[in-house]
Amino acid sequence: GKVMNVLIAEHDGLQRRMACDAVSDLGMNVCAADGGLLALETLAARKNIDLLVTDVSLPVIEGYRLVDMAKLRLPNLKIIYLAADRYEAECKIGRVHGEIIAKPYICCQLQKAVARAFAATPGAICGMLAQHAHLFDGCGVAAPMLA
């Protein structure tokens, strides 16, 4: 199957590394941006990004605005939002393009959300999830996700 490319936009260095590690453990290519502006530049330079994982609160260009701008260019881009305050995020976002994960989160929550984001993509997820099923042990991932 195709190896998926994921961009993570997160201004907190520690959380950015954690998110990158969690996603790369799924066998995906990961690149990172420390803010909305750099993320937008990365999306413009690399047309092959399949999924954008973004903090809702980013400096300069906030995450939800970043998503709206990215979607204009890349309508098929999959989205996962990370939000310290889920209620505030839901008020701000407007049109929600993907799952909202409340912070703090644990790695497997993000991994499951990534798996769900690609669930409908042929050839992308099934082999990858089967290969990395051990990562989801004790994480409440139901077997049907591997089907």
Side-chain angles (χ1 to χ4, degrees):
K2 175 182 182 285
V3 175
M4 296 289 134
N5 298 298
V6 181
L7 171 60
I8 293 168
E10 167 64 78
H11 61 286
D12 180 279
L14 193 64
Q15 293 199 36
R16 189 169 58 246
R17 277 194 298 280
M18 184 181 104
C20 288
D21 289 348
V23 175
S24 62
D25 280 351
L26 293 174
M28 297 186 174
N29 295 327
V30 181
C31 57
D34 62 5
L37 204 56
L38 184 59
L40 212 55
E41 287 168 6
T42 305
L43 287 165
R46 296 183 53 174
K47 303 280 191 285
N48 64 342
I49 302 293
D50 302 294
L51 167 68
L52 169 62
V53 178
T54 183
D55 189 354
V56 171
S57 305
L58 288 174
V60 189
I61 300 172
E62 291 205 78
Y64 61 97
R65 290 219 170 90
L66 166 65
V67 168
D68 289 343
M69 292 157 88
K71 280 293 223 178
L72 290 174
R73 275 193 200 151
L74 303 163
N76 297 325
L77 183 68
K78 296 176 190 315
I79 305 294
I80 295 172
Y81 301 92
L82 306 172
D85 182 335
R86 197 192 165 93
Y87 175 74
E88 185 199 5
E90 284 170 351
C91 293
K92 271 185 179 175
I93 289 169
R95 178 150 181 237
V96 178
H97 293 283
E99 201 169 325
I100 302 172
I101 299 178
K103 291 176 163 187
Y105 61 89
I106 52 172
C107 288
C108 70
Q109 285 176 282
L110 177 57
Q111 290 171 329
K112 286 197 287 184
V114 169
R116 283 191 291 269
F118 287 120
T121 307
I125 198 75
C126 303
M128 183 202 82
L129 267 183
Q131 204 179 326
H132 298 283
H134 64 280
L135 292 170
F136 296 94
D137 288 352
C139 209
V141 173
M145 281 183 62
L146 301 176

